[in-house]
Amino acid sequence: MTKTLYLLRHAKSGWDDPVARDFDRPLNKRGEKAARTIGQWMASNGVTFEHVIASPAVRVIETLDGVWAGYGRKMEPTWERRIYLASSATVLDVLREVDDAHDIIMVVGHCPAVEDLVFDLVPDDGSSPLRDEVEIKYPTAALAQLEIPIDHWADIGKPVAHLKRFVRPRDLDSSLGPDAE
């Protein structure tokens, strides 16, 4: 059996927004566009999932709103406070609690946890050029797809996953790249 894990980093947030807490920081215009763009890519590339677990931070909520707008379908995520600014070890703990009835899930959160999960789960043996791309940078609104040869989410943690896809907003629209500002 194989489980599929999608890791979505929240879209670009507005650092110049005068919020009192980091948790409340919203997306900026580029982030809104990137979230919709990733959602459209997901729809046109047949990305499906059965369950979504997400940080309840404002920038994640707004990212999902944009993704759903582009995807054309909304899902109600499980809001998991432990994912907010978590380590990859904490996110692994959350994943180990997932019901095995869900074979395809998406986690929406923050760096460094989403990036570190790729490093924790995909072997560093030179066989994955996509892993090398993640090492360069896991930008905002990027989506990774991991195929993990496990039967139970409780068994997740060993570096046995295959990084099947790594899609960055700039791959889909050059105006969303780092040099576009």
Side-chain angles (χ1 to χ4, degrees):
M1 186 73 163
T2 299
K3 301 288 189 187
T4 300
L5 173 62
Y6 287 97
L7 297 171
L8 177 64
R9 182 179 176 194
H10 67 79
K12 191 150 189 67
S13 57
W15 282 99
D16 55 349
D17 197 288
V19 295
R21 300 182 316 156
D22 174 73
F23 187 86
D24 298 323
R25 197 161 21 96
L27 297 184
N28 64 20
K29 294 295 180 196
R30 187 171 134 197
E32 292 170 2
K33 182 178 179 183
R36 277 190 312 279
T37 300
I38 286 291
Q40 290 165 346
W41 180 89
M42 290 167 59
S44 65
N45 285 274
V47 171
T48 62
F49 39 86
E50 303 158 347
H51 185 60
V52 178
I53 304 169
S55 161
V58 169
R59 59 191 176 273
V60 172
I61 294 168
E62 291 182 355
T63 295
L64 282 173
D65 288 344
V67 167
W68 303 147
Y71 190 67
R73 178 176 155 229
K74 183 175 181 165
M75 287 190 69
E76 289 301 323
T78 298
W79 301 109
E80 178 54 70
R81 180 79 183 202
R82 290 179 291 171
I83 292 176
Y84 174 68
L85 302 183
S87 68
S88 62
T90 299
V91 179
L92 282 170
D93 287 343
V94 171
L95 288 168
R96 288 182 184 112
E97 297 170 6
V98 171
D99 187 325
D100 286 327
H102 302 300
D103 290 325
I104 307 168
I105 65 168
M106 182 167 64
V107 171
V108 188
H110 311 265
C111 268
V114 291
E115 178 180 55
D116 288 347
L117 275 170
V118 172
F119 301 146
D120 291 345
L121 297 174
V122 178
D124 185 14
D125 60 7
S127 66
S128 176
L130 291 177
R131 189 183 192 283
D132 296 341
E133 290 296 314
V134 172
E135 282 190 33
I136 294 168
K137 184 171 185 180
Y138 201 119
T140 53
L143 178 71
Q145 178 186 355
L146 285 73
E147 300 292 330
I148 311 167
I150 55 173
D151 294 327
H152 308 285
W153 287 108
D155 297 332
I156 194 169
K158 294 186 175 122
V160 295
H162 170 67
L163 181 55
K164 188 171 180 180
R165 296 191 261 200
F166 182 56
V167 181
R168 301 164 294 204
R170 72 173 180 233
D171 299 332
L172 309 172
D173 180 341
S174 62
S175 74
L176 296 170
D179 300 327
E181 293 188 21

